[in-house]
Amino acid sequence: MSEQTQHTEDTRRGVVVVGAGMAGVQTAVALREQGWTGPVTLLGAEPHQPYDRPPLSKAVLLGKAEDSAFDIDFEELGIELRLGVEVTGLRAADREVDTEAGPVPYEVLVLATGALPLTLPGSAGVPGVHLLRTLDDAARLRPVLAAGSPVVVVGAGWIGAEFATAAREAGCEVTVVEAADRVLAGALPPEVTEPMARWYAQAGAELLTGARVASVEPGRVLLADGRVLPAGAVVVGIGARPATGWLAGSGVELGPDGAVAADERLRTSVPGVYAVGDCASFPSGRYGSRLLVHHWDNALQGPRAVAADIVAGGSGEQVYDPVPYFWSEQFGRFVQYAGHHGDADALLWRGDPADGTWSVCWLRDGRLVAVLAVGRPRDMAQGRRLIESGVPVDPAKAADPAVALKATVL
């Protein structure tokens, strides 16, 4: 086959995006916005029109919205949308992905398969045990909340807090069981989570920390210490893992966390293959470590970098090194976080955590590296800009909630 014939065939194959969540959809849209004129095929495992996930734990769950489908005209954009297509493998040498409906050829492949929720050991097949990751999950949980059944939430992380919030709003009796000795143990330091733990009781939810689930039976949860909790439903929110099992034997390098180990332009170890969103980690020059970010903003920003590199023929110069950002609505509070505090050397409070609004700033070498804001959106907006700029700040001023963060620059 001549080089010209090969190029023509590759152009016909175009870009194939595996995964029709936020990262996959935004990649397909960004390709068109940035001038890609070749074919774009978007493969989604679910039968539903592509949808946004954050409303699942809020409006959709409470029956305030039927779905959260993206308002995108895929046909008008020339994006071939293939739903209900489960991808089972990647054969890089042939530039094809395998699906239950047959192989799909590609010129460029983008992995955007997201993450799968961890399941509670021993709970498989037990009636009344739920995850909250998909539209179908939310649909199954809606009648439970509408009936006001007692609910046990396993896991006091972000999703556990958000579901507990919705269940209390629906009038359910809620018990949250957390194996660690505090809420958000894997996300934030103890002094920051301590005031957040009080929100549960204030909302009328019972929080049990240091409590392990021994078994789940229909209608009840048995704890390791012998306590028995009645449960019309059990909702499990104990974390997620990158959905990368289907890549076994493909040559795509995975990290110890199971994520695709992408480079600074979100390219994988296999030529012509990119990875974006919850399934991929990337090296951060800003923080000097590899980051795996399971949040909405990463699935929104990363696709733009991928699309730019694809349009540039794989020779783009744009490095993906964002300031990670996410938010959570829980117990009547709007919580925002930006940055990465893992190697910070100072923690500063802005405001009293006993009050309704407060923030926490993390510094490293006198520069802001992360900020958590509870009901202080201005701190978040200004803090993100300071993190991006990397300018030194005055710690004394940064610790004064009456001083705007933008006014703390030295």
Side-chain angles (χ1 to χ4, degrees), residues 307-362:
D309 205 69
I310 292 173
V311 171
S315 59
E317 297 180 356
Q318 181 178 344
V319 170
Y320 186 62
D321 194 7
V323 173
Y325 167 78
F326 71 90
W327 80 94
S328 176
E329 295 178 84
Q330 49 184 271
F331 307 119
R333 295 165 176 84
F334 188 51
V335 183
Q336 296 172 283
Y337 176 94
H340 178 66
H341 65 270
D343 58 353
D345 53 31
L347 183 154
L348 307 175
W349 289 89
R350 286 174 58 81
D352 187 341
D355 296 336
T357 64
W358 48 275
S359 298
V360 173
C361 293
W362 285 269

Side-chain angles (χ1 to χ4, degrees), residues 33-369:
E33 289 177 343
Q34 297 187 35
W36 177 263
T37 58
V40 176
T41 303
L42 184 61
L43 306 179
E46 294 184 56
H48 309 290
Q49 280 292 116
Y51 59 88
D52 203 5
R53 294 191 187 276
L56 297 184
S57 61
K58 305 173 185 72
V60 175
L61 190 60
L62 291 170
K64 298 177 181 179
E66 282 304 311
D67 60 38
S68 55
F70 294 114
D71 185 17
I72 295 170
D73 191 331
F74 293 97
E75 185 175 356
E76 183 179 344
L77 289 173
I79 297 169
E80 182 185 358
L81 183 59
R82 298 178 58 183
L83 301 175
V85 176
E86 186 81 40
V87 176
T88 58
L90 165 61
R91 287 177 289 108
D94 299 325
R95 293 220 167 194
E96 290 183 340
V97 289
D98 289 321
T99 77
E100 295 172 341
V104 177
Y106 66 85
E107 174 192 356
V108 177
L109 180 66
V110 181
L111 311 178
T113 45
L116 297 172
L118 298 175
T119 57
L120 188 65
S123 67
V126 178
V129 178
H130 301 264
L131 301 168
L132 183 52
R133 188 75 181 179
T134 68
L135 189 60
D136 289 338
D137 293 336
R140 283 187 287 266
L141 277 164
R142 240 160 59 171
V144 174
L145 297 195
S149 305
V151 175
V152 172
V153 181
V154 182
W158 300 112
I159 191 66
E162 291 187 1
F163 179 80
T165 299
R168 285 301 299 142
E169 187 176 331
C172 298
E173 178 184 320
V174 176
T175 304
V176 180
V177 177
E178 171 57 55
D181 61 358
R182 58 190 178 88
V183 304
L184 293 165
L188 295 169
E191 60 267 42
V192 177
T193 61
E194 192 274 332
M196 301 171 79
R198 295 197 292 265
W199 298 347
Y200 287 78
Q202 292 168 6
E206 183 178 11
L207 172 65
L208 305 177
T209 56
R212 294 189 174 275
V213 174
S215 63
V216 179
E217 299 174 357
R220 64 180 194 165
V221 174
L222 283 69
L223 301 183
D225 61 9
R227 282 179 288 181
V228 179
L229 307 176
V234 178
V235 177
V236 180
I238 55 175
R241 67 178 186 279
T244 55
W246 66 280
L247 292 169
S250 67
V252 172
E253 180 187 352
L254 304 181
D257 52 12
V260 176
D263 69 6
E264 72 282 354
R265 279 154 52 197
L266 298 179
R267 301 171 300 183
T268 74
S269 57
V270 172
V273 180
Y274 296 78
V276 68
D278 289 5
C279 72
S281 67
F282 57 90
S284 171
R286 185 191 310 277
Y287 292 106
S289 62
R290 179 167 286 275
L291 301 182
L292 174 59
V293 181
H294 281 186
H295 292 295
W296 186 91
D297 192 65
N298 179 52
L300 177 67
Q301 303 295 340
R304 297 168 185 166
V306 168
D309 205 69
I310 292 173
V311 171
S315 59
E317 297 180 356
Q318 181 178 344
V319 170
Y320 186 62
D321 194 7
V323 173
Y325 167 78
F326 71 90
W327 80 94
S328 176
E329 295 178 84
Q330 49 184 271
F331 307 119
R333 295 165 176 84
F334 188 51
V335 183
Q336 296 172 283
Y337 176 94
H340 178 66
H341 65 270
D343 58 353
D345 53 31
L347 183 154
L348 307 175
W349 289 89
R350 286 174 58 81
D352 187 341
D355 296 336
T357 64
W358 48 275
S359 298
V360 173
C361 293
W362 285 269
L363 306 182
R364 185 185 68 227
D365 298 329
R367 291 168 169 81
L368 190 66
V369 293

